[in-house]
Amino acid sequence: MALAFLPGEVCVFVPARMGSTRLPGKPLADVAGLPLVVRVMQGLEGPWGVLAAVTDSPDVAEAVEGAGYRALLTGPAPTGTHRVRLAWDALGSPGRLVVNMQGDEPMADASWIGALASVDPGDGVCTLAREAPAEELAGPGSVKVVTGAGGRALYFSRSPIPHGAGRLLEHVGAYAFTPDSLVRCTDLGPTHLSRTERLEQLAWLEAGVPITVVTGDFAGLGVDTPEDLARASAVYSEMEGSSD
């Protein structure tokens, strides 16, 4: 896959906050012997200009650094993207592409970053999606996206969209910004739609920020509940057992 950005121009930040209500202490939750956030960092290793977890918790920072990765402490932030902006600002605004990779995707790997870096978002944002049967994505925990010409996002929703489709596009929690679009998106306030759906990217769409969706085999396993955590642990235990 041809890259629009060289790996060294890409800065990858992994927001990891401790305030999850459905899974308290989520970044430090045990996934087959390692904290969730460390599993995410392992999968994202690559020749990036920056790879760092960004968190408001000294305990998370200690766990990340103890595993040999970089961690940055920030103050409070309303969203993961705002936390990324705080860290990026603190480092002196490095790179030509700034990636926000959610800290609850333990199956994410460097190819996801490569997919984001293959597209120049121009004055907008790039994100990922995968196709799956509608019944698999029916619940509100799965965010759906509808795209138009050129893969441009038309809308994101926790409801199944478009109505009646047998297969849907599930949004994968990764965003790539240029420096200008990161500043623009984080300077925007929430809107009625973004609050209603609890999806920050709707505020960007309402402001006219174009979002390009790259569709591929991004078979993630987002960890939001104890049941998700058990599945992720089982997957890693099986993978590591088969490699012995």
Side-chain angles (χ1 to χ4, degrees):
M1 179 183 295
L3 298 183
F5 299 89
L6 297 175
E9 298 174 324
V10 179
C11 298
V12 182
F13 296 98
V14 179
R17 69 182 183 91
M18 289 291 281
S20 172
T21 55
R22 288 186 289 175
L23 187 61
K26 180 164 67 171
L28 298 180
D30 184 275
V31 178
L34 287 175
L36 171 60
V37 66
V38 172
R39 290 292 188 189
V40 176
M41 300 297 286
Q42 283 181 330
L44 299 180
E45 285 186 19
W48 321 121
V50 174
L51 173 60
V54 290
T55 182
D56 56 356
S57 166
D59 291 338
V60 172
E62 182 179 354
V64 170
E65 291 171 347
Y69 299 100
R70 187 175 189 178
L72 298 168
L73 281 169
T74 71
T79 70
T81 303
H82 285 86
R83 193 173 302 284
V84 167
R85 168 78 185 277
L86 289 173
W88 180 73
D89 283 344
L91 293 181
S93 309
R96 294 183 56 233
L97 192 73
V98 183
V99 174
N100 169 3
M101 177 65 73
Q102 289 187 358
D104 58 6
E105 279 283 1
M107 305 308 294
D109 62 37
S111 70
W112 294 25
I113 309 299
L116 291 168
S118 71
V119 176
D120 186 345
D123 60 353
V125 179
C126 180
T127 193
L128 305 178
R130 70 181 186 100
E131 188 178 346
E135 59 269 20
E136 182 181 326
L137 307 180
S142 167
V143 176
K144 277 67 73 173
V145 58
V146 172
T147 60
R152 289 288 178 89
L154 299 176
Y155 193 70
F156 296 82
S157 181
R158 297 186 182 277
S159 297
I161 52 173
H163 173 73
R167 296 181 68 82
L168 305 177
L169 281 181
E170 180 180 38
H171 180 229
V172 176
Y175 300 103
F177 305 84
T178 61
D180 286 346
S181 66
L182 177 63
V183 170
R184 181 181 178 190
C185 288
T186 50
D187 281 351
L188 293 170
T191 64
H192 173 70
L193 282 176
S194 69
R195 290 191 187 98
T196 300
E197 293 262 20
R198 291 180 290 114
L199 297 173
E200 61 178 322
Q201 64 269 36
L202 291 178
W204 312 340
L205 281 181
E206 286 190 73
V209 177
I211 302 178
T212 301
V213 180
V214 177
T215 302
D217 185 22
F218 307 113
L221 182 59
V223 175
D224 291 309
T225 67
E227 293 76 20
D228 295 337
L229 180 63
R231 282 194 292 272
S233 294
V235 169
Y236 267 98
S237 295
E238 182 177 348
M239 289 169 50
E240 293 176 348
S242 64
S243 65
D244 290 342

